[in-house]
Amino acid sequence: MERTFFIQLSILLSVSAESNQSAQFANSWKRIAALLNGVANIGMVELGEVQVAAYLSERKPMGRFFFRNGLPSVVAFPSGCKTSDCLTRFEGELSVDAVIDWFAMAVLNLPRIFYYSKESLGPRFLAKSSPHKVKVIFFSKTGERATPAIRQAARDYWNYATFACVLWREEEFSVWWNTFGVESAPAVVFLKDPGLKPLVYHGSVNDSWFLDVLEQNKQQELPQLRSLTSEELGCDARGYSRAGRDTLTWYCAILAGRLGPELDSMRETMRRVQETLSKSSELKAASEDEHSITAAVALKSKRLTLSWLDGETQKNYCFFYLNIESSYETCGPRRVPTDVPRLFIIRYERNATEDTFKVDKKAKSIWEFHQQEVDPAAQLSVTYNVSAEVSRIIQWMSNIIEDGDSRKLPFYRVKTPELVPEDAEPFWSRGPQGLLSKSMGTKQKIQRTIIRIYDYLGDPRIGPALLLGALMSFGSIWLMRTQQNRSVQSSQPSQADNGDKLKPRERCRERNASKRNLPPSITDFEPKDSYQMPLSDSD
């Protein structure tokens, strides 16, 4: 599988005698470089290279270069990063596991593969995993986290497989031997169809080897018909057969049912049918039963596909083909305690003349509109209602294929219901715009803001600057209050003068009214018979 170089990872190491931590971390860095080989470009910069060291270091408000956590310092550059503003710094404890986990989670946005014990593996991993996915279990003696290459494989194959890790202990040998057939660690186990023997690989895991094995075992032995695999299996009326675009007729045998022991038993029967047809296709036609030859040849030429369908999840698709009274025993949510899996085969036929000659015309009515929305390939389905024997099923499939290839059947086209996606898109698969990257970005922004505030508080210029700001604020407040007081004092006399100045008419009226209404007083006039009393000298 093609690998992509995501980032260039650089580390600064001091080789001076004063930095013992750099010398101690040298062996760990070699281990990190080996684990990141093929995923990132690895580099090392010595402190003596002043220009590069100054470019990768942090800068205080006064312009002095420094490394916040000392040396060595790990710095990651994402793809397309050309300035020091977009780099990511490692802030945790310097260890192989911590650096690898930080690199995979914070930089590459890769999922984490969790460890499970013998008690939690069954209920928390096997029971909660999707039934259509292959289970991949890593057994490790050291308990190290999965490498970025394996995490990237878990992200690329999340539609097909789910991953788990188990710490190997000698006292638990009997449990893992009886359950999966694992006798030592390291080892990798692939769990595919229910009832199928696990596939075990012992020894250390090479990234390229693991990707090849995963590509070969990403599907179950009897593949499931899903929205993701419908075109790949050829069970899609909108596409073409696996045999090629020139094939006009092909077939798809589907086992539908709800998840349970009944469906598991029939899936095992269909696996035997597929295995028998695969072996029959390798032998000569004269040495085999004539009833199985037709189906075996169709399977070898990829005109026949065997698969199974989750009738509960894909209820619309299931009811569309099993349109019988007892189809509720197979399709839709469970209503009765008994489940009845059913096998049916679909014959697809493509019209070659319609692909070469197409006429575009506008829909004049609702009936013509629906006629244009039908699938390009015609479909005819037949349900199997005989015993669940391998030979009988093969004979029935061969008869259906013979009739479909030889007889002139009606060309019936219809709109097939859409297959529902079984799994929602995980949050870590959304790339840089996903939930994980947003939360990590927000966390980094908050941390950077706090660090900048802390750096500014340690700047010796911050004290005089704050004092000057305080003086300026107090001076502005005093100036504003002074201007307000002056405006109030200047407004009061003007209001009094305006009140004292009256109009001439109002002034005359007030004067006349005062003369008329005042009572007589001794000070107003002097009577005629009045005289001045003389005062004594003593007074």
Side-chain angles (χ1 to χ4, degrees), residues 359-366 368-369 372:
V359 179
D360 296 335
K361 59 180 181 179
K362 297 182 179 180
K364 298 181 180 180
S365 64
I366 189 173
E368 293 183 2
F369 176 76
Q372 292 179 355

Side-chain angles (χ1 to χ4, degrees), residues 254-273:
I254 303 174
L255 173 65
R258 284 187 288 265
L259 297 175
E262 294 85 1
L263 181 62
D264 294 343
S265 178
M266 278 301 298
R267 286 172 62 183
E268 185 177 358
T269 303
M270 293 302 298
R271 287 199 305 269
R272 293 202 305 268
V273 170

